[in-house]
């Protein structure tokens, strides 16, 4: 007696097997597409956060700090000039610079207000600046008016004018500058966190994308083989096209994710880290410059202003030393050691140390070394100012401090400022270039193209098996 060859209900007939493998291919293609979209969208979102949001906000807050610090330096210089006719030109230039910095601070503050919307800590810091800036400007205006009425000599403001300026500079140093620095630091912290998170996501996401792509290719190959065996056909052109399309798409997605990761490294680690360090260095340098003028303006507080100047010097290039004389010696030793080392090892910390350890772009090393050279010269100028003051040669000290002739302190400070701006510009250009590259690579066109590609792959997969399934109807 012959056994029945009829298939039992629920067994894997050819149509059922083909349908199951087709569903598996569709699911694998959709999964690979979803992973690719998630990985690339995460890279774009991270770049948006860093490149268009938090990093620029941190730099703008550092610029606000710089503008506020220079406002106070100019206010102190106006008191230093007094009514001395020899300083008529200085008074006019100082007043003009003060107004420029005031306008800049207002602009930076407006943008900071817009950027801080929805961030309670940021809003509180910005409101502190808004609330106190008007009071600061009022106190400076009062100090200037009292000084004009007193017709005081250079370097010896009237007691009333000095009292008003003390209130103004205390408000700035105790409220305004810390609030501005807090906005910059908070945004910088967010940049660091987003950067670490996105890089980790990209590293894992690329492997997930590769695995999903290989799974989709494997499913397509299995379906192709099943059709070849069950229907005795060597090749299904549509399925072959989908398989090739999947390989190309996965390779492209993997490459794009890798490129986005490299652009993120360039933008944040190579460029932004230098931009924010140098922007904060510039802000602190202008506050140091203000400390010099405060030192000459207010002899009663001279020791305190000298100490804050030393502290800020350490934040620029941390080498130790409890006095300015010791600082000079240790800085000279550190710089000589750095420049004598064939590997360019940087034996000091601070903003300048951070920058010199992060040289990544053409011309950046030479520009950073110029900053270091100009910084040392500015430090030497500072000691000359203090020496003249100690010797009782106050007017000479004021002239040397505020003078813009070559070899005078303000002229050398201008060189330092320009050198800082030069290195910032190199890094800022690279930062913007890396962000723009990711914007181009991961723009709306990629999303539309990817969606069309996935839809085409799904449609071709279905169309590839329909003729074979019709044979069983």
């Amino acid at each position: 007696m012959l056994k029945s060859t009829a298939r039992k209900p629920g067994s894997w007939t050819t149509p059922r097997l083909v349908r199951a493998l087709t569903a598996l291919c569709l699911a694998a293609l959709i999964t690979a597409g979803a992973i690719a979209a998630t990985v690339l969208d995460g890279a774009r979102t991270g770049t948006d956060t860093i490149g268009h949001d938090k990093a620029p906000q941190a730099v703008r807050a550092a610029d606000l700090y710089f503008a506020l610090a220079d406002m106070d330096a100019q206010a102190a210089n106006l008191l230093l000039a007094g009514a001395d006719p020899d300083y008529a030109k200085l008074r006019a230039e100082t007043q003009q610079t003060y107004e420029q910095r005031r306008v800049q601070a207002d602009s930076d503050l407006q943008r900071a207000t817009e950027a801080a919307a929805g961030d309670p800590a940021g809003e509180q810091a910005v409101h502190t600046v808004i609330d106190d800036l008007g009071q600061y400007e009022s106190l400076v205006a009062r100090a200037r008016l009292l000084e004009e009425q007193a017709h005081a000599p250079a370097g010896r403001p009237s007691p009333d004018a000095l009292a008003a300026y003390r209130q103004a500079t205390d408000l700035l140093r105790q409220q305004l500058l810390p609030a501005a620095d807090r906005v910059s630091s908070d945004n910088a912290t967010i940049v660091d966190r987003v950067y670490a998170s996105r890089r980790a996501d990209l590293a894992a996401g690329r492997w997930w994308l590769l695995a999903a792509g290989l799974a989709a290719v494997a499913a397509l190959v299995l379906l192709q083989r099943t059709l070849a065996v069950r229907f005795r056909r060597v090749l299904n052109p549509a399925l072959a096209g989908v398989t090739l399309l999947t390989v190309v798409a996965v390779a492209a997605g993997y490459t794009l994710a890798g490129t986005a990761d490299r652009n993120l490294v360039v933008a944040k680690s190579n460029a932004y880290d230098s931009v924010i360090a140098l922007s904060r260095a510039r802000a602190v340098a202008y506050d140091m410059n203000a400390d010099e003028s405060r030192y000459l303006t207010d002899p009663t507080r001279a020791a305190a202003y000298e100490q804050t100047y030393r502290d800020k010097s350490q934040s620029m290039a941390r080498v130790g030393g409890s006095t300015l004389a010791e600082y000079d010696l240790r800085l000279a030793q550190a710089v000589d050691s750095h420049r004598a080392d064939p590997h360019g090892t940087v034996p000091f910390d601070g903003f300048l140390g951070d920058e010199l350890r992060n040289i990544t772009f053409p011309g950046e090393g030479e520009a950073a070394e110029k900053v270091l050279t100009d910084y040392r010269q500015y430090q030497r100028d500072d000691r000359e100012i203090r020496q003249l003051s100690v010797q009782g040669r106050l007017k000479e000290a004021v002239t040397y401090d505020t003078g813009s002739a070559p070899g005078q302190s303000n002229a050398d400070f201008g060189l330092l400022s320009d050198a800082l701006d030069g290195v910032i510009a190199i890094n800022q250009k690279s930062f913007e270039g890396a962000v723009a590259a990711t914007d181009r690579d991961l723009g709306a066109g990629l999303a539309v193209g990817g969606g069309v590609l996935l839809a085409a792959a799904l449609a071709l997969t279905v169309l590839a098996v329909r003729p074979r399934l019709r044979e069983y109807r």
Side-chain angles (χ1 to χ4, degrees):
M1 183 175 179
L2 296 175
K3 294 182 180 180
S4 173
T5 59
R7 294 186 182 275
K8 298 179 182 179
S11 63
W12 284 102
T13 62
T14 294
R16 182 171 294 176
L17 179 60
V18 169
R19 289 191 184 96
L21 289 176
T22 301
L24 177 63
C25 288
L26 296 178
L29 288 169
I30 292 172
T31 300
I35 290 175
T38 300
V39 171
L40 296 178
D41 183 66
R44 183 183 58 78
T45 300
T47 300
D48 282 345
T49 301
I50 292 174
H52 301 296
D53 187 10
K54 298 303 179 183
Q57 287 177 31
V59 174
R60 282 197 294 268
D63 286 343
L64 173 60
Y65 190 116
F66 145 69
L68 292 171
D70 199 33
M71 282 175 65
D72 204 54
Q74 302 310 318
N77 286 344
L78 285 170
L79 294 187
L80 277 179
D84 194 314
D86 292 341
Y87 296 129
K89 181 180 178 182
L90 171 64
R91 281 193 296 272
E93 292 175 346
T94 300
Q95 178 60 39
Q96 183 180 18
T97 302
Y98 177 86
E99 290 301 323
Q100 289 174 347
R101 295 295 182 245
R102 186 183 63 79
V103 171
Q104 180 180 344
D106 288 343
S107 175
D108 288 338
L109 190 54
Q110 181 178 354
R111 288 186 292 179
T113 302
E114 295 169 356
D119 176 12
E123 288 179 346
Q124 182 180 0
V126 170
H127 287 157
T128 297
V129 179
I130 293 174
D131 292 342
D132 292 340
L133 183 56
Q135 184 182 355
Y136 170 81
E137 291 178 4
S138 177
L139 288 167
V140 169
R142 175 174 171 77
R144 287 168 50 197
L145 177 62
L146 292 170
E147 179 71 356
E148 290 173 2
Q149 292 174 346
H151 299 287
R156 287 292 176 259
S158 70
D160 290 340
L162 185 57
Y165 174 71
R166 281 177 176 171
Q167 293 180 59
T169 194
D170 286 349
L171 179 64
L172 179 119
R173 293 164 58 237
Q174 296 171 14
Q175 297 292 333
L176 286 165
L177 294 183
D181 191 53
R182 190 159 60 251
V183 174
S184 181
S185 298
D186 289 348
N187 282 286
T189 299
I190 293 173
V191 169
D192 290 341
R193 185 171 65 246
V194 170
Y195 174 71
S197 172
R198 290 306 177 189
R199 286 214 68 202
D201 290 345
L202 275 171
R206 291 176 74 193
W207 287 111
W208 278 109
L209 175 58
L210 188 60
L214 290 175
V217 170
L220 288 166
V221 169
L222 181 59
L223 178 58
Q224 178 81 260
R225 177 174 173 75
T226 299
L227 293 178
V229 171
R230 296 294 179 107
F231 294 91
R232 295 181 175 82
R233 293 176 182 271
V234 176
L235 183 69
N236 186 303
L239 276 182
V242 173
T243 304
L244 179 61
L245 199 63
T246 301
V247 171
V248 171
V250 170
Y254 188 87
T255 300
L256 282 171
T259 301
D261 182 61
R262 287 191 294 274
N263 285 336
L264 196 60
V265 171
V266 171
K268 194 277 177 188
S269 182
N270 296 350
Y272 163 78
D273 283 355
S274 289
V275 170
I276 191 61
L278 292 166
S279 295
R280 297 181 76 178
R282 183 180 61 172
V284 169
Y286 272 84
D287 202 16
M288 290 168 59
N289 198 42
D291 276 332
E292 284 183 338
S293 296
R294 295 171 186 137
Y295 170 87
L296 294 176
T297 303
D298 192 350
T300 304
R301 293 185 173 186
Y305 289 139
E306 182 174 303
Q307 178 63 34
T308 59
Y309 178 94
R310 189 196 68 82
D311 293 343
K312 289 162 191 168
S313 296
Q314 292 284 8
S315 71
M316 293 286 288
R318 186 169 297 109
V319 293
S322 58
T323 66
L324 287 176
E326 291 177 358
Y327 179 80
D328 288 343
L329 177 61
R330 295 191 182 187
L331 178 62
Q333 292 171 341
V335 173
D336 290 344
S337 172
H338 159 63
R339 290 180 170 169
D341 189 326
H343 302 292
T345 302
V346 182
F348 53 89
D349 296 317
F351 297 126
L352 299 186
D354 291 344
E355 165 54 19
L356 286 164
R357 279 188 286 269
N358 194 37
I359 303 299
T360 48
F361 305 114
E364 184 181 2
E366 295 83 353
E369 289 294 339
K370 187 177 186 309
V371 170
L372 188 58
T373 297
D374 291 341
Y375 174 71
R376 292 185 68 188
Q377 181 57 51
Y378 177 68
Q379 289 287 349
R380 286 191 285 267
D381 292 344
D382 174 79
R383 308 308 179 263
E384 179 68 18
I385 292 170
R386 298 180 197 279
Q387 185 64 26
L388 290 170
S389 177
V390 169
Q391 293 172 355
R393 299 156 64 185
L394 180 59
K395 187 170 181 177
E396 291 180 55
V398 172
T399 300
Y400 190 79
D401 175 39
T402 60
S404 55
Q408 293 181 315
S409 180
N410 245 21
D412 287 337
F413 182 77
L415 294 176
L416 172 60
S417 179
D418 290 344
L420 285 166
D421 288 345
V423 189
I424 290 173
I426 291 172
N427 285 276
Q428 185 66 33
K429 181 180 179 181
S430 298
F431 173 81
E432 292 171 355
V435 171
T438 298
D439 288 343
R440 288 193 302 271
D441 291 344
L442 306 183
L446 178 67
V448 173
V452 170
L453 195 67
L454 178 60
L458 296 175
L460 282 173
T461 302
V462 173
L463 291 174
V465 299
R466 285 186 66 185
R468 305 288 76 79
L469 292 175
R470 284 176 180 171
E471 297 179 12
Y472 282 85
R473 288 183 179 178

